[in-house]
Amino acid sequence: HTRYGTVTGVQTCALPIWVRGGFGLGTNYVVRVGTALRSLDGTFPGEETRWTNAFAPLLSNAWLPAYDAVQPAQGGRGLDIMTVNVPEVRVRVKSLGRHGLVPALRAYERYRRGSIPWQAQPVWGAPVDYAGLAGRTVKDERIDLREVPMDEARRTALGWDRLVGAGKPGVFFVELELNGLGDGGQARRLGPQAMVQLTDLAHVLKRGRGDAVAWVFRQRDARPVEGARVSLRTDEDEELASGLTD
């Protein structure tokens, strides 16, 4: 069981004691635990305990909305990024062509297996080599965030029309780079990466023991698409079967 109580702004429970207040960064605070503090089993500390604690700024970090996503090409076409304690973020977007798509997906699959989405890490696991992707850079932009207060999360809206062109579909690789870090403001670090597909096409694939049937339709009105080319390919981009929708 857990018992709660509040004494002079301090909330206590069975395990931790939470002390809340208007603490500042870089200030040393002395924490004192006196001998009158009784535990739930009725025992008292043998002697007073003191230690000093100081709050440091949050680790500089940046986030993308998802690791991979499919968005309707005629939808909201929005892309937001979130940053904290990042003086400058560099946004690079590469358009991936058909012949570079399968190798890019394989490399990105290794990146997702190596990273830990819920932790802020100095180095992301198995990042994709941006320069090694077959495609064309369509956006390389630096966003100045030096005016954002310390430890304040900032959401920056980046529309796809601004990044890749109005109404343009395709598969895009997105990479964030964190710049201006460290005491001298010269350090930089690779941030998150993502793959996003902007398309009006959707498909349903039904596989049997020796064959497969694919239905291709438009997302905006669910109408079937005639003449769409569908192919099944290996991890090394070898075509196993292909055909056109009727």
Side-chain angles (χ1 to χ4, degrees), residues 10-20 33 37:
V10 178
Q11 184 183 32
T12 64
C13 63
L15 295 178
I17 297 178
W18 301 97
V19 181
R20 297 179 174 88
V33 178
L37 181 67

Side-chain angles (χ1 to χ4, degrees), residues 84-147:
V84 63
N85 294 341
V86 178
E88 180 188 85
V89 61
R90 181 186 183 188
V91 182
R92 292 200 294 178
V93 181
K94 178 171 283 192
S95 175
L96 303 177
R98 214 312 278 140
H99 296 291
L101 184 56
V102 172
L105 289 171
R106 292 287 292 164
Y108 189 71
E109 183 181 335
R110 290 192 296 271
Y111 163 70
R112 288 203 60 182
R113 286 201 304 262
S115 60
I116 304 178
W118 56 87
Q119 287 188 356
Q121 303 178 60
V123 178
W124 291 84
V128 178
D129 180 12
Y130 183 93
L133 294 177
R136 180 175 62 89
T137 297
V138 294
K139 176 62 72 171
D140 189 343
E141 180 179 347
R142 297 175 184 268
I143 302 174
D144 191 346
L145 299 169
R146 288 174 294 182
E147 81 286 354

Side-chain angles (χ1 to χ4, degrees), residues 98-99 101-102 105 203-205 207 212-216 227-235 237-245:
R98 214 312 278 140
H99 296 291
L101 184 56
V102 172
L105 289 171
H203 76 278
V204 175
L205 180 66
R207 292 183 296 179
V213 179
W215 289 268
V216 180
R229 183 173 180 81
V230 180
S231 64
L232 299 178
R233 317 189 78 85
T234 68
D235 290 341
D237 204 17
E238 179 186 358
E239 185 177 284
L240 300 177
S242 66
L244 298 177
T245 57

